[in-house]
Amino acid sequence: MDNKVPQQINDIVGDNVKKLAQLFPSVVKDGEVDFEALKEELGQFEEAGSEKYELTWAGKKNAKKIAQEDVIGRTLKFIPEDSKNADTTENLYIEGDNLEVLKMLRQNYYGAIKMIYIDPPYNTGSDFVYNDSFIMSQEEADVAEENIDILGERFTINRDSGNKFHANWLSMIYSRLKLARELLQDNGIILINMDENEITNLQKLCVEIFGEQNDLGTIIWDKRNPKGDARGVSYQHEYILVYAKNKVSFLENCSMQRPKKNAQMMISRARTLFSKISDNYSLEDANKEFAQWVNKQINLSGGEKAYKKIDEEGRLYRAVSMAWPNKKTAPDDYFVPLLHPMTGKICPVPDRGWRNPSSTMKELLSKNLVVFGKDETTQPGRKYLLEENLYENIPSLIYYGGSDTALLDKLGVPFDTPKVVDVCKEHILSFTKDNDIILDFFSGSCTVAHAVMESNYSDNGKRKYIMIQIPEKCEEGTALYNKGFDTICEAGIERIRRAGDKIKSEHPDADIDIGFKVFRTANTNIKWNSLTDMGQLDINQL
């Protein structure tokens, strides 16, 4: 044994570098501090002095400046007529430029968001990239205050024929991700949907902003709908990048597992039948009805169908023999007698002994995990609960070839290519719980808000959401325009309203928050950062 004491007891410099990396991941590269990058994080911008490994583009320095600039003369105006259950809800929908809104939220939500789930513009050559200039003339300010069409002032189409095609997109997303990181809890997580157009640039950007050490992996979403106009390989997948703010903290507090969809469905059905038990409806009736329901489910595997019994506590289980599995006889400690709970008589013991020792058998009995027959003549079995097999590791590849087009048509809000509720719900259930706050600052069709409500119904959670969307006009001739919607915000709000009503109509006893407060960016003579000091209402009070 080596009893030598190392000369270096405290690695003070190394510890300080690690702390610096947690505050500013982009300034620590390969274990060394990039002091030029540190100066920029602290608001001092100079020309780069030497070459180094990094992602750079024309406009990056300006994007850093924009992320640090304050918002002057702007606030959030409460819109009660567009809100729902405003007196009780904790959900927010905010109309406005997301860069501006993220800066406003920083005062009250710094380090408060558990999950950020965004689907930003993919930079296809026809989607919108925001024009991040908050220097407005009086005429422009009047336009914004009156909520007239602001397309010309707020964002433009990033044409792939432009000489700064990638640079414009990178500048747009960079400043927003910088602000987004500050809103995350220390154990928070961000998921970003992206296709092949900017995935390589986005991965490098996330390494710089969140740190390579906080990369939790990339999920490949196989959508099973290859693009018909491909000029090379026909893509049928998209990417979901997953980064933690602090990977160590995340893994200490969160599980990298997802709930099995079929298992959730089966348990929910069993609970519904169990709740019907009364003088006229017995546990035997519940089991019979559940077995009939299971036999009709074509998507259940044989292993899942084995969980077809409901016990006295409403738990779903399958029974397995507890006999010693080997040909040789078990030790004496594996022959403990079991008394039938009703008759009080000894049940048959397996010839070669039980599968478990006496201590384990006592524990199984205390947890009601032993299945007895009608009397002592039947050998007891081991009860395996479905809830013990409810989760599985999150895979790097998910298959979902469907879309929510039919769902949105039924709701009367026909968004084009929206995110899929089931995919969002799966990740929300995997990474969040209880009262966590989930933010989407490219909310569009508001799939994330819909998925939050569905998730809360699934596990009785109290999650809250914040949706942010610029009031982009619905183009003439589009399905939304033909339905009478003027802006994407108007359609998104209506989608949340109708989705919440649908969930409540299908599950009237569900205790979930289907309301939301609507806010809109507007002019004010008060600097947002000084609202609290001046005794004004902050966003939580609103």
Side-chain angles (χ1 to χ4, degrees):
M1 181 176 180
D2 189 357
N3 293 319
K4 293 181 181 180
V5 178
Q7 287 182 320
Q8 187 183 43
I9 298 176
N10 294 306
D11 184 10
I12 296 175
V13 173
D15 291 341
N16 286 338
V17 170
K18 290 178 182 177
K19 292 177 182 177
L20 193 61
Q22 288 298 328
L23 288 173
F24 309 112
S26 64
V27 309
V28 178
K29 300 181 175 71
D30 294 331
E32 296 183 359
V33 178
D34 182 343
F35 289 98
E36 291 298 324
L38 179 58
K39 288 180 181 179
E40 292 177 354
E41 289 286 356
L42 299 176
Q44 301 177 30
F45 297 90
E46 301 174 3
E47 293 298 324
S50 60
E51 294 180 343
K52 50 185 170 286
Y53 174 74
E54 66 175 343
L55 172 66
T56 189
W57 64 90
K60 181 177 182 180
K61 196 176 295 292
N62 187 55
K64 290 183 178 182
K65 288 181 181 179
I66 288 174
Q68 294 185 14
E69 289 173 354
D70 204 351
V71 178
I72 309 297
R74 302 285 285 169
T75 189
L76 296 178
K77 179 182 178 182
F78 177 46
I79 313 296
E81 61 271 21
D82 291 343
S83 303
K84 180 176 182 176
N85 302 339
D87 293 336
T88 58
T89 187
E90 296 185 78
N91 300 315
L92 301 179
Y93 186 99
I94 304 174
E95 293 185 25
D97 187 301
N98 52 16
L99 180 64
E100 193 175 48
V101 176
L102 288 171
K103 292 180 178 182
M104 295 180 185
L105 291 180
R106 190 178 184 278
Q107 181 189 26
N108 295 95
Y109 288 90
Y110 184 92
I113 306 298
K114 180 56 184 290
M115 173 190 273
I116 295 175
Y117 201 151
I118 58 172
D119 190 9
Y122 287 178
N123 205 20
T124 62
S126 60
D127 49 11
F128 290 104
V129 172
Y130 293 61
N131 181 15
D132 298 330
S133 175
F134 298 109
I135 303 173
M136 296 188 291
S137 65
Q138 184 58 49
E139 181 181 356
E140 291 172 326
D142 291 340
V143 168
E145 190 173 28
E146 295 294 330
N147 298 305
I148 300 173
D149 181 12
I150 58 174
L151 285 178
E153 282 68 38
R154 285 298 180 194
F155 50 84
T156 58
I157 293 177
N158 192 33
R159 302 292 186 189
D160 55 8
S161 58
N163 59 0
K164 290 187 177 180
F165 178 62
H166 293 289
N168 289 339
W169 186 88
L170 283 166
S171 293
M172 179 277 295
I173 198 69
Y174 179 88
S175 53
R176 286 158 177 81
L177 290 181
K178 288 281 287 185
L179 289 165
R181 182 182 178 275
E182 295 183 350
L183 297 179
L184 283 174
Q185 296 178 8
D186 197 44
N187 63 359
I189 187 173
I190 183 170
L191 284 79
I192 310 174
N193 284 59
M194 188 51 53
D195 73 356
E196 70 278 4
N197 288 284
E198 293 289 353
I199 184 61
T200 53
N201 286 330
L202 180 61
Q203 287 172 323
K204 292 183 176 70
L205 200 62
C206 285
V207 166
E208 177 172 334
I209 293 174
F210 296 97
E212 188 173 14
Q213 71 278 10
N214 294 316
D215 183 1
L216 289 170
T218 298
I219 297 170
I220 307 299
W221 173 13
D222 187 348
K223 303 176 70 174
R224 305 294 177 91
N225 55 342
K227 297 178 180 179
D229 59 348
R231 288 168 290 180
V233 173
S234 183
Y235 287 90
Q236 68 178 43
H237 66 273
E238 290 186 7
Y239 306 86
I240 303 176
L241 272 59
V242 187
Y243 277 81
K245 184 175 184 179
N246 182 322
K247 186 175 181 178
V248 174
S249 178
F250 174 82
L251 294 177
E252 286 177 350
N253 294 276
C254 308
S255 170
M256 284 295 292
Q257 291 190 314
R258 67 176 183 179
K260 294 181 179 178
K261 183 178 179 181
N262 286 342
Q264 287 276 8
M265 175 184 68
M266 293 172 69
I267 288 176
S268 176
R269 179 66 178 178
R271 286 174 179 169
T272 299
L273 294 174
F274 186 75
S275 66
K276 293 171 58 178
I277 293 177
S278 62
D279 293 338
N280 298 321
Y281 191 88
S282 65
L283 180 58
E284 184 178 353
D285 294 327
N287 270 289
K288 183 178 179 180
E289 188 173 340
F290 183 76
Q292 293 173 345
W293 177 83
V294 166
N295 291 333
K296 295 178 182 178
Q297 305 306 306
I298 60 174
N299 293 324
L300 295 181
S301 67
E304 290 167 336
K305 288 186 176 182
Y307 291 91
K308 57 184 179 183
K309 291 286 187 180
I310 305 172
D311 71 6
E312 306 81 13
E313 299 175 43
R315 302 176 300 182
L316 205 55
Y317 72 92
R318 65 185 177 97
V320 178
S321 171
M322 287 195 296
W324 182 259
N326 300 324
K327 293 182 179 180
K328 294 182 179 179
T329 302
D332 292 342
D333 191 40
Y334 288 68
F335 285 86
V336 58
L338 294 182
L339 300 180
H340 193 277
M342 299 298 294
T343 67
K345 296 180 180 180
I346 297 177
C347 297
V349 178
D351 294 338
R352 296 187 178 88
W354 301 109
R355 184 181 291 265
N356 306 113
S358 58
S359 59
T360 302
M361 296 296 284
K362 289 179 181 178
E363 183 180 358
L364 292 175
L365 286 167
S366 68
K367 294 180 178 180
N368 190 20
L369 293 179
V370 177
V371 183
F372 291 93
K374 292 184 178 181
D375 56 36
E376 74 284 354
T377 61
T378 304
Q379 192 177 95
R382 165 74 156 90
K383 182 187 295 184
Y384 283 95
L385 302 177
L386 181 56
E387 60 193 47
E388 296 173 341
N389 192 32
L390 191 56
Y391 294 91
E392 61 187 353
N393 292 332
I394 296 173
S396 61
L397 182 64
I398 60 174
Y399 299 94
Y400 193 94
S403 72
D404 278 355
T405 301
L407 169 65
L408 295 183
D409 285 343
K410 288 182 180 179
L411 291 176
V413 280
F415 280 94
D416 185 30
T417 63
K419 290 199 292 289
V420 178
V421 173
D422 281 351
V423 174
C424 291
K425 179 182 173 182
E426 178 177 308
H427 293 131
I428 290 170
L429 288 170
S430 299
F431 297 123
T432 68
K433 58 183 179 180
D434 302 332
N435 295 298
D436 286 340
I437 304 174
I438 299 158
L439 168 66
D440 181 355
F441 52 88
F442 289 100
S443 65
S445 62
C446 291
T447 296
V448 171
H450 191 161
V452 167
M453 292 187 289
E454 290 276 7
S455 299
N456 284 340
Y457 168 70
S458 293
D459 65 359
N460 298 315
K462 300 296 180 183
R463 301 172 185 83
K464 299 172 277 288
Y465 63 75
I466 301 176
M467 300 290 106
I468 303 173
Q469 176 62 36
I470 198 164
E472 174 188 339
K473 284 281 188 178
C474 295
E475 295 184 13
E476 291 189 27
T478 62
L480 285 177
Y481 181 87
N482 293 336
K483 281 286 185 179
F485 293 109
D486 184 46
T487 66
I488 296 296
C489 290
E490 185 181 326
I493 290 171
E494 191 60 26
R495 191 263 178 91
I496 300 175
R497 190 186 308 276
R498 295 179 186 181
D501 290 341
K502 182 176 183 292
I503 294 172
K504 287 294 287 185
S505 66
E506 294 173 349
H507 313 286
D509 296 329
D511 181 21
I512 60 172
D513 181 0
I514 62 170
F516 50 86
K517 296 176 187 175
V518 176
F519 291 88
R520 186 176 297 141
T521 53
N523 286 345
T524 178
N525 294 323
I526 303 173
K527 183 179 177 182
W528 175 263
N529 289 346
S530 64
L531 279 177
T532 304
D533 296 336
M534 298 184 66
Q536 301 293 319
L537 295 176
D538 64 27
I539 194 168
N540 289 327
Q541 292 168 311
L542 286 171

